[in-house]
Amino acid sequence: MFIALGIGFAVQATQYTMGTAARMGPGYFPFWLGIVLSLMGALVLLTSLAKTAAETTVSRFDFRILLLVIGSVLVYAFALRFLGLYISIFLLVIISSLASHEFNWKVAVANGLFLVTFSYVAFIRGLGLIFPLWPSFLGN
């Protein structure tokens, strides 16, 4: 599956301008992401065929986990405009972390704070994207 998706993304990305590493076009990132995904899929395939590979079983499907992960993305999508980037990302991390069988509040809060900081540095400062940072009712 990873190999097929990776190749599909890489092939589709060739329809866009590639550019160079210094001046990336719209097809550059999806192309290389597809290549890396395909390579990772090949690595997973090869290690699963090894004689030392452990046999695993798939447990019962847990719809609670699915709803928490998809729900967290929906909360983020609808909350971004009203609550701003900081609170929306923090909610995304906390809600999706509830899906883990090893949920820990301290880890979830630390991950949320890290992702908020990283998003600010990468997207706001680094790329100059414009997002509402704070809730709209605060007047920003």
Side-chain angles (χ1 to χ4, degrees):
M1 178 179 77
F2 293 146
I3 295 170
L5 281 173
I7 290 172
F9 269 91
V11 168
Q12 186 62 35
T14 61
Q15 303 299 315
Y16 299 105
T17 306
M18 292 299 262
T20 64
R23 191 151 176 88
M24 298 178 203
Y28 191 88
F29 183 73
F31 175 79
W32 286 109
L33 188 65
I35 296 297
V36 169
L37 183 61
S38 295
L39 292 174
M40 286 176 28
L43 182 66
V44 168
L45 176 66
L46 292 175
T47 56
S48 70
L49 296 175
K51 291 182 182 181
T52 58
E55 186 174 326
T56 59
T57 59
V58 177
S59 61
R60 180 181 72 77
F61 190 79
D62 193 351
F63 284 99
R64 177 185 167 273
I65 292 172
L66 177 69
L67 290 175
L68 282 169
V69 171
I70 292 175
S72 68
V73 174
L74 291 174
V75 166
Y76 172 79
F78 290 115
L80 180 61
R81 176 171 286 158
F82 305 106
L83 296 180
L85 183 72
Y86 300 142
I87 295 173
S88 299
I89 288 178
F90 194 76
L91 285 174
L92 169 78
V93 172
I94 297 296
I95 295 170
S96 62
S97 294
L98 290 170
S100 172
H101 296 293
E102 301 160 4
F103 176 75
N104 181 328
W105 277 107
K106 289 179 185 177
V107 173
V109 168
N111 283 336
L113 292 174
F114 171 77
L115 195 57
V116 166
T117 304
F118 177 80
S119 297
Y120 173 75
V121 170
F123 300 118
I124 306 301
R125 299 296 269 177
L127 295 175
L129 299 179
I130 300 171
F131 289 109
L133 300 179
W134 293 106
S136 57
F137 56 84
L138 293 178
N140 287 352

